[in-house]
Amino acid sequence: MGINGAGKSTTINILCTVLEKTSGSVKIGGYDIDKQRNKVKDLIGIVFQNSVLDKQLTVKENLESRASYYGMTKKKSKQRIMELSELFSLDEIINRRYEKLSGGQKRRVDIARALLNNPKILFLDEPTTGLDPKTRIQVWNIIHNLRKTTELTVFLTTHYMQETIDCDRVVILDNGQILADDTPNNLKNRYAQNSVVWYTEHTEERDALLAETNFEHINSAYRIRTKDSTEALEIINKFKIQDFEVIKGDMDDVFLSVTGKRLGD
């Protein structure tokens, strides 16, 4: 994950043999992307930020034409499209022109297109950008279902912090450099702080009481930063705080701590 311009799309395009790398070496599935490019292409599927399908063709026609690029026979192509149609619930839109589909429907077709060749690795470049929250959830349900029912590895880029929670591994990229690489929980434990939110009016007396802590005013409350839940409990007991909640640090906090930036910057 990273802000726009961090190098996410460039990284994916290099891994997918779309762009030439400037230096170093890259292997996918044990194959060198420079010397064994066709072998690599057989292993991967990719969903770009912008669709590569023909707007004037129907969903079925688009999938059939793409299947032909992989040298599939008509029989094999028909069988594979039937499988994907069932997996992505495409039956009701299979004969509709691509340009007439909603954003969520188009994304389902884009992912189906990327899976025509039964890849081992699926690359998704910001797959939910521009989608409404409901459609974004639907796309993620599809991704999670693929991971559960197949041995598919999903490699995606995103600038939505909430989309990293269910990932096995998160890499934070900034200005083309890897700044952090770990599981979401480990990253939160290492870089994010918990907070005790004390719901009470701001007063000079309470300000003085909390002087030794890392606190800030928020609306009609105090936010007190803590290292962990143990320290949060100590503060609650020490200051006899009653109306409160403990909030665990999230991936936004991690990103800000690691890069010094917020995703809106």
Side-chain angles (χ1 to χ4, degrees):
M1 66 182 185
I3 62 174
N4 291 335
K8 302 187 303 297
S9 294
T10 300
T11 300
I12 272 195
N13 285 332
I14 289 172
L15 295 174
C16 294
T17 76
V18 176
L19 283 180
E20 293 288 338
K21 57 182 173 53
T22 51
S23 63
S25 62
V26 178
K27 286 186 178 181
I28 301 231
Y31 298 114
D32 188 290
I33 65 169
D34 294 324
K35 301 174 183 177
Q36 300 163 296
R37 184 160 296 199
N38 288 335
K39 293 284 189 181
V40 170
K41 288 180 178 180
D42 287 340
L43 290 179
I44 66 175
I46 180 169
V47 178
F48 297 95
Q49 285 187 42
N50 299 313
S51 178
V52 295
L53 294 181
D54 193 316
K55 297 178 181 179
Q56 300 299 316
L57 297 182
T58 66
V59 171
K60 184 178 180 181
E61 289 167 343
N62 265 302
L63 294 178
E64 286 175 340
S65 66
R66 297 288 159 169
S68 69
Y69 295 167
Y70 293 107
M72 291 185 185
T73 63
K74 286 188 176 182
K75 182 178 180 181
K76 186 176 180 181
S77 170
K78 182 179 179 181
Q79 177 62 34
R80 184 58 179 155
I81 291 173
M82 285 177 58
E83 293 170 356
L84 293 170
S85 181
E86 182 177 353
L87 180 62
F88 292 100
S89 302
L90 301 179
D91 287 344
E92 60 186 28
I93 61 172
I94 198 75
N95 292 313
R96 288 174 59 185
R97 285 202 316 208
Y98 184 81
E99 66 177 351
K100 299 294 184 181
L101 304 180
S102 68
Q105 290 170 333
K106 287 179 179 177
R107 201 39 109 195
R108 277 156 51 198
V109 177
D110 290 339
I111 297 175
R113 186 270 309 159
L115 295 173
L116 278 167
N117 62 325
N118 278 305
K120 298 295 184 184
I121 306 173
L122 176 64
F123 289 94
L124 302 169
D125 194 5
E126 298 192 12
T128 59
T129 297
L131 299 181
D132 61 82
K134 181 180 178 181
T135 304
R136 190 179 299 154
I137 291 172
Q138 292 174 341
V139 170
W140 267 100
N141 286 339
I142 289 172
I143 295 172
H144 290 320
N145 186 51
L146 283 172
R147 294 175 65 204
K148 289 177 183 177
T149 58
T150 69
E151 294 184 354
L152 186 69
T153 295
V154 179
F155 185 116
L156 65 90
T157 66
T158 184
H159 56 255
Y160 293 121
M161 291 294 100
Q162 66 271 27
E163 293 190 340
T164 66
I165 299 302
D166 294 324
C167 294
D168 297 313
R169 175 178 171 190
V170 175
V171 173
I172 296 178
L173 201 65
D174 189 49
N175 197 29
Q177 301 295 316
I178 292 175
L179 301 187
D181 177 3
D182 213 328
T183 65
N185 279 339
N186 285 345
L187 289 173
K188 284 191 290 184
N189 289 335
R190 188 180 309 162
Y191 296 108
Q193 288 186 310
N194 293 346
S195 297
V196 175
V197 178
W198 181 10
Y199 295 102
T200 186
E201 293 296 325
H202 305 153
T203 66
E204 292 184 2
E205 182 181 356
R206 291 192 180 104
D207 287 355
L209 185 67
L210 297 174
E212 62 188 73
T213 69
N214 180 11
F215 79 90
E216 62 179 325
H217 295 142
I218 54 168
N219 298 323
S220 296
Y222 288 86
R223 175 183 282 132
I224 309 163
R225 300 287 184 179
T226 65
K227 291 183 296 184
D228 50 36
S229 299
T230 300
E231 185 180 10
L233 185 60
E234 290 172 354
I235 287 174
I236 291 166
N237 291 328
K238 179 177 181 179
F239 299 111
K240 297 180 173 57
I241 298 173
Q242 294 183 341
D243 189 7
F244 69 90
E245 63 178 325
V246 177
I247 301 175
K248 188 173 179 61
D250 57 21
M251 292 303 290
D252 285 291
D253 296 324
V254 171
F255 192 83
L256 178 61
S257 177
V258 170
T259 67
K261 303 172 184 177
R262 292 192 183 276
L263 283 182
D265 291 348

